[in-house]
Amino acid sequence: MPEKLNWSLTIQVAGGPGEGASQSLDVEAYDVITVTVPGGDTTTPGTATVQVQPGGSGQVAFLLVKSSLYDGNLTYAVDGGSAVKLDALHLFIGTGAVGLLGTTQNAFVFTNMVGVDKPAAVEILVGRKATA
């Protein structure tokens, strides 16, 4: 039985225009993954590897990455790709947007160089197909 992800987004420019959107997205499965990325620095970065989805390409349709800490020195790389700065919440809706992270979204390697005393609690919400 499909799961339904309901999302809503509102953007407001201070003293200016605003936009809003909301929609439902049908997925076969969802996962909530929580991991702590240990603090580190440029000499000894903290790292954590997260297996986001077990299947092949094109299965992830929704991906939210949020953290207790946002900084340009907190990054993640997807399946050996280029590092992406986690300097704000990341939201990818639809296979087209998720595809910007590469053809598969299996292993996310988080690297924390913000400071040895600054661990990051990262939560990932993924909506995906569960069947091939």
Side-chain angles (χ1 to χ4, degrees), residues 109-131:
V109 178
F110 289 87
T111 303
N112 184 351
M113 296 184 291
V114 179
V116 294
D117 61 341
K118 296 189 176 179
V122 175
E123 183 176 300
I124 300 168
L125 173 60
V126 60
R128 60 182 173 80
K129 290 187 345 186
T131 57

Side-chain angles (χ1 to χ4, degrees), residues 21-22 25 29 35 78 99 101 115-116 122-123:
S22 61
L25 181 66
V35 64
V78 180
L101 295 174
V116 294
V122 175
E123 183 176 300

Side-chain angles (χ1 to χ4, degrees), residues 53 55-61 94-95 98-99 102-105 127-129 131:
Q53 64 106 11
S57 63
Q59 289 189 301
V60 177
T95 56
V98 174
T103 56
T104 60
Q105 295 77 39
R128 60 182 173 80
K129 290 187 345 186
T131 57

Side-chain angles (χ1 to χ4, degrees), residues 16-98:
E19 292 290 331
S22 61
Q23 196 173 28
S24 293
L25 181 66
D26 290 327
V27 296
E28 293 175 340
Y30 71 90
D31 295 298
V32 178
I33 304 163
T34 304
V35 64
T36 298
V37 184
D41 55 29
T42 55
T43 305
T44 309
T47 62
T49 300
V50 179
Q51 298 299 322
V52 171
Q53 64 106 11
S57 63
Q59 289 189 301
V60 177
F62 181 95
L63 184 71
L64 171 73
V65 182
K66 71 178 192 173
S67 177
S68 63
L69 172 70
Y70 294 108
D71 190 284
N73 289 316
L74 176 62
T75 63
Y76 63 91
V78 180
D79 296 330
S82 300
V84 177
K85 293 179 181 180
L86 188 54
D87 55 359
L89 181 133
H90 289 190
L91 176 61
F92 302 89
I93 303 171
T95 56
V98 174

